[in-house]
Amino acid sequence: MMNICFWMRRTAALAVASLLVGCSLLKVTVSSGDPLPREQTAARMLTRGFYYDLSGEVARAADSIGSASADAGVRLAAVQWKIRASRAAVTAAMQGNPDVAMADMWILCRRMNASFAARPDSLLFGAQSPVARAAAARLERRAARLARQALPGGRYELMEEFVAGYVAAHPAAPVDGNDNTLLAWIEFLRERGVEPDYSTGSIAEVLSDINDRVSGQTQQIANTVGWTKEMIDIRLGQDSTRSQLGARLDSLERHFGRVVVVAEHLPEVSERLLTEINEQAAQLMETMNASVDNAFYGLERQRRELQQYVSDEREALIGQLHEAGGDLLRTALDALPALVGRIVFWLVVAFLVIVGGPFALGFWLGGVRQRARDRADGGRRS
């Protein structure tokens, strides 16, 4: 039975192989792809090399600002500048299209330079702001110089016009920090009568591109982790309570080391050290409890003060409303007699005009008519 199954499987495999060999429609090929033009290859290499130089220069400038300033806020801002600039730069430089990558790097440097030049020192890095401004200006000049070196004359003029127009239309980066300028660049070239190049390069170039992207993103993640730790250290250094707790923990660690060393030989010393450790732990807990109680007491006190302030303001507002209503009522009552007198006067005048006017006019017209009759009768008698 086993031999029959074996020969059946073998016969089926031979039949499938013969069908695949005989089928002329089944064809597996691997295309090597067209290599990138020389100009785009040079643009890609210069852009990615510029990314590493930009990250290094921004990191050196930020470290210089942090070491020269004692203000924790300035030091935190310098570390955040390193993280944001390098993150935006690696996203821009590692794009697949070399022209778009170079344009995005140029846009990044121009925005950085314009932002630093427009913002005052108080919103930048304090007294160390000139260091950041000088670095941003150098990076923008270098981005323009690299574009001129990598691109032919006509292509450079187009990219310069595109970068200037895009920065004017979008002076600030998006919320996520990434610009999607690929479609904008393609539409810009087509409006100028230039057909974009959609080639991605040969297999070797694509693999090298993927390797560069992975390497750049990995280095960026490692740098971000280190700089984030630096920010945490700066923030921890600002909190006196945490510093006190850290000192207490360090003291406990030293005492524990002493216990380990002498525990085997000096039991009485070990007991005394354990007692001291208990005291230190008790003090640590008291410090923590006092800090928490103080924080909650401060919040409760602020809440009571705010509630009292709101109550006082509400009572004052109600009193003002009552006073204003009383003044308005008194003013209305004081003005009421004069208003009634004026209304009566005008009613009398209106009555005289409406009733007495027609009566007087009729009486006068009757007299005129009677005199006219009398004159007529006198003329007939004569």
Side-chain angles (χ1 to χ4, degrees), residues 57 81 109 112-113 116 131-141:
E57 185 162 356
W81 177 36
C109 295
M112 187 189 303
N113 187 23
F116 285 3
V131 177
R133 293 194 183 98
R138 285 195 303 270
L139 291 173
E140 183 183 359
R141 291 194 299 268

Side-chain angles (χ1 to χ4, degrees), residues 270-284:
S270 301
E271 184 177 357
R272 182 168 56 84
L273 289 177
L274 289 174
T275 303
E276 187 175 351
I277 289 175
N278 291 330
E279 294 177 356
Q280 294 284 341
Q283 293 178 5
L284 177 62

Side-chain angles (χ1 to χ4, degrees), residues 84-128:
R84 293 172 182 171
S86 60
R87 184 182 300 163
V90 73
T91 303
M94 298 302 169
Q95 295 188 74
N97 190 299
D99 289 345
V100 176
M102 179 167 285
D104 282 356
M105 288 293 288
W106 197 351
I107 290 170
L108 171 64
C109 295
R110 177 164 293 190
R111 279 176 174 167
M112 187 189 303
N113 187 23
S115 175
F116 285 3
R119 296 169 66 183
D121 293 349
S122 59
L123 298 180
L124 204 55
F125 304 105
Q128 304 301 320

Side-chain angles (χ1 to χ4, degrees), residues 290-302:
S291 299
V292 173
D293 292 341
N294 188 27
F296 279 105
Y297 175 75
L299 291 175
E300 179 65 20
R301 181 175 54 82
Q302 293 179 1

Side-chain angles (χ1 to χ4, degrees), residues 31-300:
S31 176
S32 61
D34 297 329
L36 288 174
R38 184 176 180 181
E39 294 82 5
Q40 291 197 2
T41 303
R44 173 177 288 177
M45 292 179 62
L46 289 175
T47 301
R48 294 184 177 178
F50 178 53
Y51 152 69
Y52 291 106
D53 291 347
L54 181 146
S55 298
E57 185 162 356
V58 169
R60 287 190 296 271
D63 292 339
S64 175
I65 292 171
S67 60
S69 177
D71 187 357
V74 173
R75 294 166 61 194
L76 286 174
V79 177
Q80 290 174 353
W81 177 36
K82 286 192 296 186
I83 295 175
R84 293 172 182 171
S86 60
R87 184 182 300 163
V90 73
T91 303
M94 298 302 169
Q95 295 188 74
N97 190 299
D99 289 345
V100 176
M102 179 167 285
D104 282 356
M105 288 293 288
W106 197 351
I107 290 170
L108 171 64
C109 295
R110 177 164 293 190
R111 279 176 174 167
M112 187 189 303
N113 187 23
S115 175
F116 285 3
R119 296 169 66 183
D121 293 349
S122 59
L123 298 180
L124 204 55
F125 304 105
Q128 304 301 320
S129 299
V131 177
R133 293 194 183 98
R138 285 195 303 270
L139 291 173
E140 183 183 359
R141 291 194 299 268
R142 188 171 180 186
R145 186 168 62 252
L146 286 176
R148 185 181 293 276
Q149 293 175 0
L151 301 174
R155 201 76 167 185
Y156 171 77
E157 300 296 336
L158 288 173
M159 185 170 289
E160 185 180 21
E161 182 183 356
F162 171 75
V163 169
Y166 191 86
V167 173
H170 308 84
V175 178
D176 57 359
N178 298 326
D179 289 285
N180 186 10
T181 57
L182 178 60
L183 294 179
W185 172 247
I186 293 175
E187 293 175 356
F188 175 81
L189 291 180
R190 287 179 175 175
E191 290 176 357
R192 273 46 176 194
V194 179
E195 183 63 24
D197 190 0
Y198 301 102
S199 61
T200 58
S202 62
I203 292 179
E205 290 174 336
V206 171
L207 293 177
S208 177
D209 178 34
I210 294 174
N211 182 55
D212 288 345
R213 293 187 187 184
V214 173
S215 177
Q217 292 289 350
T218 302
Q219 182 178 354
Q220 168 61 25
I221 291 173
N223 292 337
T224 302
V225 171
W227 293 335
T228 304
K229 179 181 178 299
E230 185 178 349
M231 293 177 61
I232 293 174
D233 292 339
I234 294 173
R235 288 196 175 101
L236 288 177
Q238 290 181 281
D239 196 339
S240 60
T241 302
R242 292 185 179 181
S243 299
Q244 188 176 2
L245 293 177
R248 294 287 186 182
L249 291 175
D250 292 339
S251 176
L252 289 176
E253 184 179 3
R254 289 193 298 270
H255 286 301
F256 184 76
R258 291 168 58 189
V259 169
V260 173
V261 173
V262 302
E264 296 180 356
H265 305 286
L266 298 175
E268 64 280 3
V269 175
S270 301
E271 184 177 357
R272 182 168 56 84
L273 289 177
L274 289 174
T275 303
E276 187 175 351
I277 289 175
N278 291 330
E279 294 177 356
Q280 294 284 341
Q283 293 178 5
L284 177 62
M285 295 302 298
E286 291 177 0
T287 302
M288 294 177 64
N289 292 333
S291 299
V292 173
D293 292 341
N294 188 27
F296 279 105
Y297 175 75
L299 291 175
E300 179 65 20

